[in-house]
Amino acid sequence: MNASTVIPFDQLVAAYENTAAHNDALHARLTAATWADPLLAAHRRHVEENKLGFGDPAFHAMWASLLAAAAKRFGSVRALEIGVFKGQVISLWSLLARELALDVEVSALGPLAGQPAPTLKLLNKIRYRLDRRFREQIDNANFYANEDYPAILAAHFAHHGLNFDAVRVYRGFSNAPDILRDLNKAEFHIVYVDGDHSYDGALADFKTFSAKIPLGGWLVADDAGGDLPGTTFWKGHEAVTRAVQIMPSLGFKNVLNVGHNRIFERVSA
């Protein structure tokens, strides 16, 4: 991959229409762009074969476009992922930075630990009926198996010749007091919100971390496309879709949607 093969982000934004036909066509175009590029295709193939993440192949080409646009606009780019799983996005950012010669400081926020669902089926059924919070956790896929996530992340990076130690890691939940204290004065040009998928959790992340993005920067909301027209892509979770409706009131404009990833640009303070 080189700069000439990256689809210009501003062209995607200028041509964007939030219609079923356009959303389906854009998703297909970026999917094809990912598989046509040896670097993006190899990275995504490794993710799929080793179950290192979710999402769509189209997102790889989307990130290449957005990261290149951020570097063009800001020079040095600070990018944060909230809700790190097994390193699909942060390793891709790091790989793109290396291959495209971009100055990108990659940050990752998450517990880097499992959150397994209770195993007692009968008790789970009763709790699902009576406990709204538990029901939200189940419905929004907030449970993950216990695994050695730091080791998985390190191996994932190493596979691509990258050093996970170069990532600035904030280990914990996004609403933890120590995390919020550490990030009190932080600023990021790109924030990818893929953490707690409950309504309250997603809403808190949108409110808290949108404030850390300067004018011209972007917040990308994962699993937030429930109300988008289109038929060829999965649209995410209802709770996140509902929570993301707050973004315009926070000074952001929805400039592009790729599958269930919604991209908001900060246009006012």
Side-chain angles (χ1 to χ4, degrees):
M1 164 167 272
N2 56 61
S4 66
T5 64
V6 177
I7 301 172
F9 184 73
D10 58 351
Q11 291 183 16
L12 294 176
V13 171
Y16 183 69
E17 299 175 6
N18 190 19
T19 64
H22 190 92
N23 286 336
D24 288 346
L26 177 61
H27 189 262
R29 179 188 179 189
L30 294 182
T31 298
T34 293
W35 292 127
D37 184 276
L39 183 79
L40 299 181
H43 184 275
R44 176 64 190 189
R45 198 174 299 114
H46 180 69
V47 168
E48 292 185 358
E49 291 173 353
N50 294 277
K51 299 181 180 180
L52 295 171
F54 305 100
D56 301 340
F59 301 158
H60 274 53
M62 179 200 79
W63 282 122
S65 296
L66 182 55
L67 209 60
K72 182 178 180 180
R73 179 172 294 181
F74 295 107
S76 297
V77 178
R78 291 183 295 277
L80 169 70
E81 179 181 18
I82 299 168
V84 175
F85 180 48
K86 295 182 178 179
Q88 174 174 206
V89 172
I90 56 174
S91 66
L92 178 62
W93 288 350
S94 301
L95 188 62
L96 289 168
R98 185 184 72 193
E99 297 300 314
L100 298 176
L102 306 178
D103 183 3
V104 182
E105 179 183 274
V106 176
S107 296
L109 193 167
L112 306 190
Q115 182 173 293
T119 57
L120 298 176
K121 293 183 179 180
L122 179 59
L123 183 60
N124 285 350
K125 288 182 179 179
I126 296 171
R127 189 176 175 188
Y128 184 87
R129 290 184 177 182
L130 301 177
D131 186 337
R132 180 188 65 83
R133 176 64 177 167
F134 181 73
R135 188 163 55 248
E136 271 199 308
Q137 296 287 75
I138 293 289
D139 291 346
N140 294 306
N142 276 350
F143 290 114
Y144 293 97
N146 278 326
E147 298 185 66
D148 188 345
Y149 288 91
I152 292 169
L153 285 159
H156 190 170
F157 271 67
H159 175 82
H160 301 290
L162 301 167
N163 182 11
F164 179 58
D165 290 338
V167 176
R168 184 180 294 244
V169 176
Y170 299 91
R171 188 165 183 174
F173 291 102
S174 59
N175 61 353
D178 58 328
I179 295 292
L180 295 176
R181 183 175 59 251
D182 289 345
L183 290 169
N184 181 45
K185 296 183 179 180
E187 181 179 84
F188 300 99
H189 304 105
I190 296 173
V191 173
Y192 180 43
V193 179
D194 187 21
D196 185 343
H197 281 40
S198 69
Y199 174 78
D200 291 339
L203 184 66
D205 282 344
F206 294 142
K207 287 181 176 179
T208 298
F209 291 93
S210 64
K212 303 183 182 302
I213 300 172
L215 285 172
W218 298 271
L219 184 145
V220 182
D222 184 61
D223 288 321
D227 59 349
L228 296 177
T231 61
T232 61
F233 53 90
W234 186 66
K235 297 187 179 184
H237 295 284
E238 183 278 333
V240 183
T241 300
R242 189 157 34 97
V244 85
Q245 304 306 315
I246 197 174
M247 292 304 297
S249 70
L250 300 175
F252 286 77
K253 180 182 178 181
N254 185 198
V255 296
L256 190 69
N257 300 306
V258 179
H260 58 260
N261 272 356
R262 303 188 67 164
I263 303 176
F264 293 84
E265 179 180 345
R266 188 175 198 98
V267 294
S268 64

